[in-house]
């Protein structure tokens, strides 16, 4: 029990979830530090009491739990969080209540919150040394793999820059969702690209699985990581990590007295001495917070923040200190290689502490000079100044890239706006007082080329020993005025040359060249301004677009054209629907459908920085109906699941080209509907769409149907003969449904027609030229038919399979069921002239539980039956639905007996390809098709018979003769029942 004198400390970690393998150790380290503080007498005689919340690797939950800790538990401060997403989502809560977070892990930099003490390394303390070491000691070709969230993507920006700067090359880059444990694409990339090293920013379970899969695949490519530490190695096993590399300020193998004490105490408490860098950060974060409370003699946030500036203390890794201005830590940098025992052999370490530069990509704060009392305000001022000079900075950086020196851009007040180093030798670094954010006045820099140029607004050169500051006496400093033709002084371009000798004549020539560079850069900026005026004209053109356009930033609409404005104003629910979707962090480019009470919109867009550019197309107005069965376009297809939208994207691509298309999918998935949509969305839309079912005609009539016949070819043939489907479809599209059932002899004739692009009618001799686009479809696995049954020609398959679309079965896109049901009910209401109907919640849940072996066709039939059974009722209930949907048997409906969950995982791993499925099939015995009980409701005899037939079909993999014998009926009777139960 705690008392009023106790100091409550919030511990916010993922004890469950994707990243718990890492965060649990951090949590235990924090508890250990709290225990030690209390055993030493507490803080000012007061005991620390931990209040723990499990955020389960969920960013939204992290913010909610933080608010609970602050408001309900009244903690003095919070220690914890691991992912950058969790941190960023939680910062607004900290700002709202003015509380501190001690963040005990590395992060991507480029952030400075007044409410966070960043207790782990930033990129300049880790990557700036790690990447050059990798390129020099392992190899120069790098493959990047990371979890798809903030830290990996932002960190890889730094890595790409450093690899390029030090002469390396990025050969590939791949991201996977958090928690992903399958890496087939990455392994294929690594086998093909053969990089010298893989740099991993995978976290938690994903990192463990990736190391293991690389080991099993015997790729033998070194993996480097700034994340994977001792806890992950213990979880995966040392044999999977041996020989791989990591960079941290701390490794458990460090031989310091403080670390030996830490490891011993941790082992006694938790039974293991496995300690990672983020665990050490969590440990000393508690000590740091305790020291802040002790020095401030208060638990008030502002007092703790002030008390910790410049504090130095001993951590297990060695002495570290808090930066005076930016709430980050000065830390060591070390590189370790995993040995056979799972420990790290330290192969490199820095010579002393490294200052934290969180604004690492040309946006560094100054470690030597306090910016201002209000850090966030000075950062904002710097950002505004950089923004106004951004065009000039970018152009100067590009124009000076062939000069092997170091450059800086200063505004007229001397504020350092940017620093860029073109000296690729890496032999020198500018003194820390010449980083971004520093005001380069004479007191700080003394006598040098920059201060003279700022004061005199003219070119200035200072040589070596002429400098007042000792740090500049190995340099030549040059200041080139940035002055527009109008005479307005805009600042100075500073140039710094190290380790001269450089002759006076060479410097004179260099200054003349750089003056010309500045003049050209100013001209280029002026040209950009003229382009901005042109962009304004473009804005008016955007307003004339037939589709809606809007741009959004942080949920706020920046611009919208008249079409989008009309829809948004008329339908108040739409803006919130769009904002909700964007807050789900879509991919940089995305396509989705958004439905509100009044309309369904197709939304495609892309993200540019923090701005979303959205293009809106109205598909249909809700409630008006759009049911032209035979003339349907891609925009009319119903569904919003990710797999369905991907198919729509493929269909749109197919509509834009004239190549043959092969549609693969189970019966009832809408293959003909997709074929029609592709045709009526293509340039052939005004020409015929002709469909033929290759399995629905006797083989002796199929040729006649396809190619036609002349007079006398058949008894009773009409005068003048009869054109075939190819001729009827000339100029348009021919849809060959169930192509997998076409007899082998007809396939040869079809192949010749596709090659020659002409037909000869049966009984005739005259070739007839044709211009036909072929779309074919099948529910069979044609590669299996080719390889095992010899029932399909491989040359015809490759002729038809130019562009393939695998249609997703309904059981794998159940999130589309509500939208499909609304669409069908709307259609039936319109056709019957009936008032609007809806579906009850219990009926919808029943539909969502069913596995839909007949796919969308079966769903439509079920809804149509229920629609008419409901009569005048305005609500369709579960009682109106077919009884078999709620039967006592839940059956695995996959036609080869493979359980749905297994097939879905297999399809995801192989990209929906049908080719390797024979491997999967061989692992499942017919017994996998046995039904299982889920309740005790009695079913009708007909339903039992249908299920028995279906089970037998699966057991014998569609062999009609064997099925008939097993069931004790004739083949004719079995065919009749298959049609009756819609099983074929």
């Amino acid at each position: 029990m705690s008392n009023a004198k106790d100091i409550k400390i919030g511990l916010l970690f993922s004890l469950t979830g994707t990243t718990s393998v890492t965060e649990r150790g951090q949590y235990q380290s924090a508890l250990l530090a709290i225990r030690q503080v209390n055993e030493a007498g507490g803080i000012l005689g007061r005991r620390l009491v931990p209040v723990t919340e499990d955020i389960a690797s969920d960013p939204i939950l992290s913010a909610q739990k933080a608010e609970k800790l602050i408001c309900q538990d009244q903690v003095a401060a919070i220690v914890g969080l691991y992912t950058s997403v969790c941190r960023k989502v939680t910062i607004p809560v900290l700002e709202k209540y003015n509380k501190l977070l001690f963040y005990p892990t590395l992060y991507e930099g480029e952030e400075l919150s007044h409410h966070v003490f960043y207790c782990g390394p930033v990129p300049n303390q880790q990557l700036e040394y790690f990447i050059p070491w990798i390129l020099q000691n392992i190899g120069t070709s790098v493959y990047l793999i990371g979890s798809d969230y903030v830290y990996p993507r932002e960190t890889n920006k730094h890595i790409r820059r450093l690899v390029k700067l030090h002469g390396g090359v990025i050969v590939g880059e791949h991201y996977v969702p958090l928690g992903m444990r399958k890496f087939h694409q990455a392994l294929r990339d690594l086998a093909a690209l053969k990089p010298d090293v893989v740099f991993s920013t995978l976290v938690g379970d994903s990192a463990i699985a990736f190391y293991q899969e690389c080991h099993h695949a015997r790729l033998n490519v070194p993996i480097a990581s700034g994340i994977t530490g001792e806890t992950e190695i213990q979880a995966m096993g040392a044999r999977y990590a041996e020989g791989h590399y990591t960079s941290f300020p701390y490794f458990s193998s460090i031989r310091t007295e403080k670390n030996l004490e830490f490891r011993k105490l941790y082992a006694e408490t938790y039974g293991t001495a496995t300690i990672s860098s983020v665990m050490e950060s969590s440990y000393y974060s508690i000590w740091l917070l305790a020291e802040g409370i002790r020095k401030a003699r208060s638990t008030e946030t502002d007092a703790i923040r002030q008390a910790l500036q410049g504090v130095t203390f001993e951590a297990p890794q060695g002495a570290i200190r808090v930066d005076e201005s930016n709430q980050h830590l000065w830390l060591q940098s070390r590189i370790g290689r995993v040995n056979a025992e799972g420990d790290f052999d330290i192969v490199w370490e820095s010579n002393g502490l490294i200052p934290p530069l969180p604004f690492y990509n040309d946006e560094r704060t100054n470690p030597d000079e306090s910016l201002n009392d209000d850090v966030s305000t000075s950062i904002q001022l710097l950002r505004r100044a950089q923004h106004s000079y951004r065009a000039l900075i970018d152009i100067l950086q590009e124009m000076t890239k062939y000069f092997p020196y170091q450059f800086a851009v200063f505004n007229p007040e001397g504020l350092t706006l940017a620093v860029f180093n073109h000296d690729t030798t890496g032999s020198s670094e500018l003194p820390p007082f010449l980083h971004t954010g520093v005001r380069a006045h004479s007191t700080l820099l003394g006598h040098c080329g920059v201060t003279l140029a700022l004061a005199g607004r003219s070119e200035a050169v200072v040589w070596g020993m002429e400098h007042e500051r000792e740090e500049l006496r190995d340099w030549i400093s040059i200041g080139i005025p940035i002055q527009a033709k109008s005479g307005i002084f805009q600042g100075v371009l500073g140039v710094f040359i190290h380790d001269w000798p450089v002759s006076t004549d060479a410097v004179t020539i260099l200054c003349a060249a750089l003056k010309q560079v500045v003049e050209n850069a100013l001209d280029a900026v002026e040209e950009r301004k003229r382009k901005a005026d042109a962009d304004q004209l473009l804005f008016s053109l955007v307003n004339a677009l037939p589709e809606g356009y809007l741009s959004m930033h942080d949920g706020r609409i920046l611009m919208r054209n008249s079409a989008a404005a009309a829809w948004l104003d008329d339908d108040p629910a739409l803006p919130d629907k769009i904002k909700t979707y964007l807050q789900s962090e879509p991919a940089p480019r995305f396509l989705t459908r958004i439905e509100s009470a009044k309309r369904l919109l197709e939304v495609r867009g892309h993200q540019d920085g923090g701005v979303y550019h959205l293009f809106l197309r109205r598909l249909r107005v809700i409630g008006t109906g759009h049911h032209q069965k035979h003339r349907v376009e891609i925009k009319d297809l119903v569904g919003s699941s990710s797999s369905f939208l991907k198919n729509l994207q493929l269909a749109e691509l197919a509509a834009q080209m004239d190549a043959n298309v092969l549609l693969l999918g189970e019966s009832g998935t809408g293959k003909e509907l997709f074929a029609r949509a592709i045709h009526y969305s293509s340039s052939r839309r005004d020409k015929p769409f002709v469909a033929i079912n290759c399995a629905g005609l006797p083989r002796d009539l199929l040729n006649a149907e396809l190619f036609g016949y002349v007079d006398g070819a058949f008894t009773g043939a009409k005068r003048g003969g009869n054109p075939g489907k190819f001729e009827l479809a000339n100029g348009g599209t021919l849809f060959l449904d169930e192509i997998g059932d076409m007899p082998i002899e007809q396939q040869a004739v079809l192949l010749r027609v596709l090659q020659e692009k002409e037909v000869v009618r049966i009984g005739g001799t005259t070739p007839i030229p044709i211009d036909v686009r072929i779309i074919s479809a099948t529910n069979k696995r044609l590669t299996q038919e080719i390889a095992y049954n010899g029932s399909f020609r491989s040359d015809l398959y490759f002729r038809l399979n130019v562009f393939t679309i695998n249609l997703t079965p309904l059981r794998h896109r159940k999130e589309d069921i509500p939208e499909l049901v609304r669409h069908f009910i709307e259609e039936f209401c319109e056709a019957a002239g009936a008032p609007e109907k809806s579906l009850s919640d219990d009926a919808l849940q029943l539909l969502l539980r069913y596995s839909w072996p007949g796919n969308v066709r079966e769903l439509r039939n079920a809804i149509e039956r229920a629609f008419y059974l409901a009569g005048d009722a305005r609500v369709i209930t579960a009682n109106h639905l077919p009884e078999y949907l709620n039967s006592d048997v839940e059956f695995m409906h996959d036609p080869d007996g493979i359980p749905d969950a297994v097939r879905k995982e297999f399809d995801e791993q192989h990209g929906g390809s049908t080719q390797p499925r024979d491997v999967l099939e061989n692992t499942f015995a017919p017994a996998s098709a046995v039904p299982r009980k889920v309740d005790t409701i009695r079913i009708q005899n007909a339903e039992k018979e249908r299920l028995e037939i279906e089970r037998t079909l699966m057991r014998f993999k569609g062999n009609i003769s064997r099925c008939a014998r097993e069931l004790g009926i004739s083949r004719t009777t079995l065919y009749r029942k298959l049609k009756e139960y819609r099983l074929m």
Side-chain angles (χ1 to χ4, degrees):
M1 294 289 293
S2 63
N3 59 50
K5 289 183 60 179
D6 291 339
I7 301 172
K8 294 182 180 179
I9 306 298
L11 300 184
L12 205 56
F13 291 100
S14 297
L15 305 181
T16 58
T18 301
T19 58
S20 62
V21 66
T22 301
E23 293 187 60
R24 181 168 290 276
Q26 292 182 283
Y27 168 64
Q28 292 176 167
S29 297
L31 289 178
L32 184 62
I34 289 174
R35 193 186 89 189
Q36 283 186 282
V37 170
N38 289 335
E39 289 175 349
I43 304 299
L44 306 176
R46 301 171 67 184
R47 190 168 60 106
L48 298 185
V49 176
V51 183
T52 302
E53 290 293 343
D54 176 14
I55 61 173
S57 305
D58 185 336
I60 302 302
L61 190 59
S62 70
Q64 295 171 347
K65 294 293 189 180
E67 191 160 26
K68 182 259 185 186
L69 287 171
I70 294 168
C71 297
Q72 183 175 323
D73 299 308
Q74 297 184 335
V75 300
I78 295 173
V79 176
L81 303 182
Y82 179 68
T83 69
S84 289
V85 177
C86 290
R87 184 189 74 252
K88 287 180 178 293
V89 168
T90 304
I91 284 176
V93 177
L94 303 170
E95 293 172 344
K96 179 179 179 180
Y97 298 104
N98 190 28
K99 286 293 181 181
L100 287 174
L101 167 69
F102 288 76
Y103 183 63
T105 189
L106 69 166
Y107 84 112
E108 67 279 356
E110 301 187 8
E111 180 180 288
L112 203 166
S113 171
H114 208 38
H115 294 83
V116 180
F117 274 87
Y118 301 86
C119 298
V122 289
N124 82 290
Q125 295 171 314
Q126 186 181 39
L127 299 177
E128 187 170 281
Y129 302 92
F130 195 17
I131 297 301
W133 189 92
I134 289 170
L135 298 180
Q136 182 177 353
N137 292 276
I138 303 178
T140 57
S141 62
V142 182
Y143 182 90
L144 303 178
I145 184 167
S147 298
D148 195 3
Y149 79 111
V150 174
Y151 173 79
R153 288 191 176 273
E154 291 301 314
T155 296
N156 283 346
K157 291 180 182 177
H158 298 304
I159 293 174
R160 286 194 294 270
R161 181 182 63 80
L162 287 167
V163 168
K164 180 180 179 181
L165 178 64
H166 292 280
V169 60
I170 303 294
V171 297
E173 188 167 352
H174 184 65
Y175 296 92
V176 299
L178 279 169
M180 173 64 75
R181 300 185 187 187
K182 302 295 182 182
F183 297 93
H184 301 289
Q185 180 61 52
L187 296 180
R188 285 195 292 269
D189 287 349
L190 295 176
L193 297 170
K194 293 182 173 58
D196 295 323
V197 63
V198 176
F199 199 99
S200 167
T201 45
L202 295 166
V203 299
D205 296 341
S206 296
I208 294 168
F210 179 68
Y211 279 73
Q212 291 173 337
E213 288 202 2
C214 285
H215 179 84
H216 291 312
R218 298 181 179 179
L219 290 174
N220 297 322
V221 180
I223 302 173
S225 173
I227 299 177
T228 302
E230 287 87 342
T231 51
E232 291 82 6
I233 292 168
Q234 183 189 48
M236 74 176 73
R239 66 193 181 102
Y240 297 108
E242 184 179 1
H244 298 308
Y245 298 87
T246 296
S247 174
F248 283 120
Y250 168 89
F251 292 108
S252 62
S253 54
I254 291 173
R255 307 293 294 180
T256 68
E257 183 177 343
K258 189 77 172 179
N259 188 44
L260 293 175
E261 175 191 342
F262 177 37
R263 291 188 63 186
K264 180 175 181 294
L265 188 59
Y266 193 93
E268 291 173 352
T269 306
Y270 298 112
T272 175
T274 300
I275 301 173
S276 68
S277 184
V278 293
M279 291 166 64
E280 189 229 12
S281 297
S282 185
Y283 176 76
Y284 65 63
S285 292
I286 294 292
W287 283 103
L288 181 62
L289 171 58
E291 179 65 7
I293 296 173
R294 186 190 66 78
K295 285 192 66 178
R297 306 187 68 80
S298 169
T299 58
E300 293 298 318
T301 294
D302 294 338
I304 295 172
R305 184 188 293 116
Q306 183 67 32
L308 285 177
Q309 289 185 9
V311 165
T312 299
F313 64 100
E314 195 72 22
Q317 66 177 269
I320 57 180
R321 71 184 176 94
V322 181
D323 190 82
E324 292 84 352
S325 63
N326 62 31
Q327 295 182 193
H328 290 66
L329 303 184
W330 289 55
L331 299 168
Q332 289 273 2
S333 183
R334 295 179 170 97
I335 299 172
R337 187 174 188 266
V338 184
N339 59 32
E341 286 73 41
D343 294 324
F344 281 94
D345 296 327
I346 299 172
V347 297
W348 179 91
E349 60 184 336
S350 60
N351 184 20
L353 296 178
I354 300 170
L357 303 174
F359 300 99
Y360 181 51
N361 191 10
D362 282 341
E363 296 181 352
R364 307 177 183 184
T365 55
N366 173 31
D368 261 22
E369 175 182 76
S370 178
L371 289 172
N372 270 324
D373 289 338
D374 188 347
V375 176
S376 60
T377 300
S378 45
I379 293 297
Q380 292 171 3
L381 291 172
L382 173 61
R383 295 295 182 274
R384 284 198 290 269
Q386 288 175 325
H387 177 74
S388 63
Y389 275 75
R390 178 51 58 195
L392 180 61
I393 291 171
D394 291 344
I395 293 170
L396 283 172
Q397 185 167 3
E398 177 65 22
M399 287 185 171
T400 58
K401 67 182 180 182
Y402 297 113
F403 293 89
Y405 312 120
Q406 301 195 52
F407 294 84
V409 178
F410 306 86
N411 73 359
E413 290 75 38
L415 183 63
T416 312
L417 303 179
V419 177
F420 34 96
N421 182 0
H422 299 318
D423 181 1
T424 58
T425 63
S427 60
S428 61
E429 282 288 338
L430 286 173
F433 52 77
L434 277 172
H435 285 305
T436 303
V438 177
R439 194 172 300 279
H441 46 72
S442 57
T443 303
L444 179 66
L445 268 68
H447 181 80
C448 74
V450 171
T451 53
L452 293 177
L454 285 168
R457 301 190 177 186
S458 60
E459 173 190 323
V461 180
V462 174
W463 297 74
M465 297 303 292
E466 297 175 2
H467 291 98
E468 290 181 4
R469 286 206 65 155
E470 185 175 350
E471 296 94 331
L472 289 173
R473 289 177 181 173
D474 291 331
W475 298 78
I476 299 174
S477 63
I478 304 172
I480 305 293
I482 303 172
Q483 195 153 358
K485 293 178 180 177
S486 62
I488 297 175
F489 180 64
Q490 298 185 28
V492 166
L493 174 66
V495 189
F496 300 88
I497 305 172
H498 191 260
D499 287 339
W500 41 291
V502 179
S503 68
T504 304
D505 291 342
V507 170
T508 301
I509 295 170
L510 174 63
C511 290
L514 291 174
K515 286 172 66 177
Q516 188 62 52
V517 164
V518 169
E519 184 179 329
N520 292 342
L522 290 169
D523 289 342
V525 170
E526 187 61 34
E527 179 62 30
R528 286 192 180 183
K529 289 180 180 178
R530 288 192 289 269
K531 183 179 179 297
D533 294 336
D535 290 341
Q536 183 62 35
L537 175 61
L538 181 61
F539 177 83
S540 61
L541 294 176
V542 167
N543 201 47
L545 288 173
E547 59 185 347
Y549 168 81
L550 70 152
S551 58
M552 299 185 74
H553 177 68
D554 284 341
R556 184 169 57 91
I557 296 176
L558 302 178
M559 182 180 71
R560 59 184 186 176
N561 68 359
S562 55
W567 296 337
L568 297 177
D569 293 342
D570 178 57
D571 199 346
L574 270 179
D576 289 337
K577 293 267 187 179
I578 294 172
K579 290 175 188 176
T580 299
Y581 174 73
L582 295 180
Q583 288 168 357
S584 67
E585 297 189 16
R589 293 186 176 275
F590 51 87
L591 171 69
T592 189
R593 289 182 170 187
I594 294 178
E595 179 180 325
S596 68
K598 292 190 175 182
R599 55 182 46 83
L600 179 69
L601 295 176
E602 177 188 270
V603 181
R604 57 184 173 84
H606 64 275
Q607 186 180 9
D608 183 7
V611 178
Y612 289 97
H613 298 278
L614 308 173
F615 296 88
L616 285 61
R617 182 171 55 159
R618 190 178 70 185
L619 300 181
R620 61 180 184 273
V621 176
I622 303 300
T624 64
H626 190 101
H627 314 298
Q628 301 179 35
K629 177 181 178 182
H630 297 294
R631 190 177 181 92
V632 61
E633 297 181 27
I634 293 171
K635 67 182 179 64
D636 301 318
L637 300 180
V638 178
S640 300
S641 63
S642 59
S643 61
F644 184 76
L645 290 178
K646 288 178 182 176
N647 283 339
L648 291 190
Q649 285 183 299
L650 293 174
E652 288 182 339
L653 286 173
Q656 295 169 17
M657 59 183 69
D658 215 31
N660 294 336
V661 177
L662 178 60
L663 300 172
L664 302 176
E666 299 174 9
S667 295
T669 50
K671 295 187 288 294
E672 181 171 350
L673 193 63
F674 261 79
R676 289 183 181 276
I678 292 170
H679 169 76
Y680 287 112
S681 301
S682 72
S683 59
R684 294 177 179 263
R685 65 177 64 89
D686 296 324
K687 298 295 182 179
F689 176 89
V690 178
I692 182 171
N693 189 325
C694 298
L697 288 171
R699 62 178 62 199
D700 54 345
L701 293 181
L702 186 58
N703 276 348
E705 281 292 314
L706 285 173
F707 312 123
Y709 49 86
V710 299
D711 287 340
F714 297 101
T715 302
K718 66 181 181 180
R719 185 173 181 80
N722 192 44
K725 300 297 187 183
F726 269 97
E727 287 182 66
L728 294 175
N730 198 28
T733 300
L734 178 61
F735 176 53
L736 301 176
D737 198 8
E738 304 300 346
I739 188 69
D741 294 304
M742 177 179 278
I744 194 75
E745 57 270 20
Q746 270 81 16
Q747 293 177 28
V749 182
L750 174 61
L751 179 64
R752 185 191 63 79
V753 172
L754 297 180
Q755 291 172 337
E756 303 297 332
K757 295 187 178 180
E758 60 183 24
V759 297
V760 178
R761 292 185 182 182
I762 294 176
T765 58
T766 305
I768 303 171
I770 54 161
D771 172 23
V772 174
R773 195 253 187 98
I774 300 294
I775 300 179
S776 51
T778 183
N779 60 5
K780 290 190 173 183
R781 297 170 192 146
L782 295 184
T783 53
Q784 185 172 318
E785 297 296 323
I786 294 169
Y788 298 107
N789 300 332
S791 59
F792 204 85
R793 296 176 61 106
S794 59
D795 46 5
L796 177 60
Y797 171 74
F798 292 116
R799 176 71 65 169
L800 298 173
N801 187 30
V802 177
F803 197 97
T804 305
I805 302 177
N806 286 277
L807 299 188
T808 308
L810 186 57
R811 63 181 175 277
H812 293 165
R813 46 177 287 230
K814 285 189 175 181
E815 61 266 43
D816 286 339
I817 287 178
E819 185 178 349
L820 287 164
V821 169
R822 287 195 299 271
H823 175 74
F824 292 145
I825 293 176
E826 179 187 331
E827 178 183 342
F828 300 142
C829 287
E830 183 179 347
E836 181 180 337
K837 291 180 186 288
S838 62
L839 189 74
S840 68
D841 290 340
D842 60 334
L844 178 59
Q845 291 306 312
L846 190 60
L847 297 178
L848 292 173
R849 286 196 298 269
Y850 185 60
S851 59
W852 299 108
N855 292 295
V856 180
R857 182 190 295 123
E858 183 184 4
L859 174 65
R860 188 183 188 280
N861 292 341
I863 297 302
E864 184 174 17
R865 175 184 183 275
F867 175 84
Y868 289 112
L869 283 178
D872 295 333
R874 299 294 292 273
V875 177
I876 298 173
T877 68
N879 293 331
H880 298 127
L881 292 170
E883 189 174 350
Y884 70 82
L885 296 180
N886 200 20
S887 68
D888 68 340
V889 176
E890 180 182 87
F891 203 79
M892 301 175 194
H893 291 285
D894 212 319
D896 50 18
I898 301 171
D900 289 343
V902 177
R903 172 175 298 289
K904 184 175 182 181
E905 180 181 356
F906 185 84
D907 288 346
E908 289 173 352
Q909 294 175 7
H910 294 277
S913 170
T914 59
Q915 187 171 358
R917 279 188 177 169
D918 55 292
V919 178
L920 179 65
E921 291 163 4
N922 291 336
T923 65
F924 282 86
S928 65
V930 176
R932 53 191 174 92
K933 297 284 183 178
V934 292
D935 57 38
T936 58
I937 302 174
R938 188 179 60 85
I939 60 173
Q940 298 176 354
N941 291 335
E943 177 63 13
K944 288 181 178 179
E945 183 179 59
R946 183 184 71 81
L947 290 172
E948 180 66 19
I949 292 173
E950 189 174 31
R951 183 182 66 177
T952 307
L953 281 170
M954 292 183 193
R955 182 179 173 190
F956 295 108
K957 298 190 176 181
N959 188 308
I960 298 297
S961 297
R962 296 186 66 184
C963 288
R965 285 198 301 271
E966 176 72 13
L967 295 167
I969 58 178
S970 67
R971 285 168 52 90
T972 303
T973 301
L974 179 55
Y975 273 118
R976 178 174 59 78
K977 289 185 177 292
L978 291 176
K979 291 181 179 179
E980 178 184 346
Y981 294 131
R982 297 177 180 173
L983 294 176
M984 64 176 299

